[in-house]
Amino acid sequence: MLLVLVAGFVFAEAYAISGFRGLTTGGVMPMLAAGVMLLSSLLVLADTLRKPRNGSGIQALIAYLLPLRVVLFAGLVAVYAALIPGLGFLAASGAFLFVAIWGLWRRGPVLAAALSALSILAIYLLFRVVFQVVLPLGSLWQMGKLWS
């Protein structure tokens, strides 16, 4: 229910930007995103209300909100964030994608490595080449420059 309320508030704020005067006004994209968020939250609420309750109490709530897979993935995200300053964005992102794809999809390390490499290549081409964004290199690679 809280998600529906937040999504409704976000939609109202997006509408306040410029209303809906045309498809090229400044509030169209925020309203579209907020509308998708509101619709999704309503669907989740309806699905949640239809399901029977499995238990009550704090243990049932913790088991529902924090399944092992979610906790492990949150830890993986924390490790990824900690690795970016040392390894740099591309290397840390590649390692993160590899472990995430391999662990969550469970299709084997070769396919996970191939998808990770393709994703990193696409990210590099889009951000570094097309948009010319300087991606963080990482302190390990910068130390190598000092030694050579």
Side-chain angles (χ1 to χ4, degrees), residues 30-45:
M31 279 194 320
L32 179 65
V36 169
M37 184 175 155
L38 182 58
L39 180 65
S40 300
S41 64
L42 286 169
L43 292 173
V44 167
L45 178 63

Side-chain angles (χ1 to χ4, degrees), residues 26-82:
V28 170
M29 290 306 288
M31 279 194 320
L32 179 65
V36 169
M37 184 175 155
L38 182 58
L39 180 65
S40 300
S41 64
L42 286 169
L43 292 173
V44 167
L45 178 63
D47 187 50
T48 302
L49 292 176
R50 268 189 257 126
K51 289 183 180 178
R53 291 188 174 190
N54 291 340
S56 61
I58 194 73
Q59 287 181 330
L61 177 66
I62 290 173
Y64 176 74
L65 292 177
L66 299 172
L68 181 60
R69 200 171 206 181
V70 171
V71 172
L72 291 175
F73 195 77
L76 180 62
V77 170
V79 169
Y80 165 63

Side-chain angles (χ1 to χ4, degrees), residues 97-108:
L97 284 173
F98 172 73
V99 172
I101 292 170
W102 190 20
L104 293 174
W105 200 23
R106 299 180 183 176
R107 296 282 177 131

Side-chain angles (χ1 to χ4, degrees), residues 76-124:
L76 180 62
V77 170
V79 169
Y80 165 63
L83 287 178
I84 289 176
L87 291 180
F89 178 77
L90 291 175
S93 296
F96 170 76
L97 284 173
F98 172 73
V99 172
I101 292 170
W102 190 20
L104 293 174
W105 200 23
R106 299 180 183 176
R107 296 282 177 131
V110 174
L111 186 58
L115 286 173
S116 300
L118 284 172
S119 299
I120 292 300
L121 178 64
I123 290 169
Y124 178 81

Side-chain angles (χ1 to χ4, degrees), residues 127-128 131-137:
F127 288 99
R128 185 67 187 117
F131 295 130
Q132 297 179 349
V133 174
V134 178
L135 300 172
L137 188 57

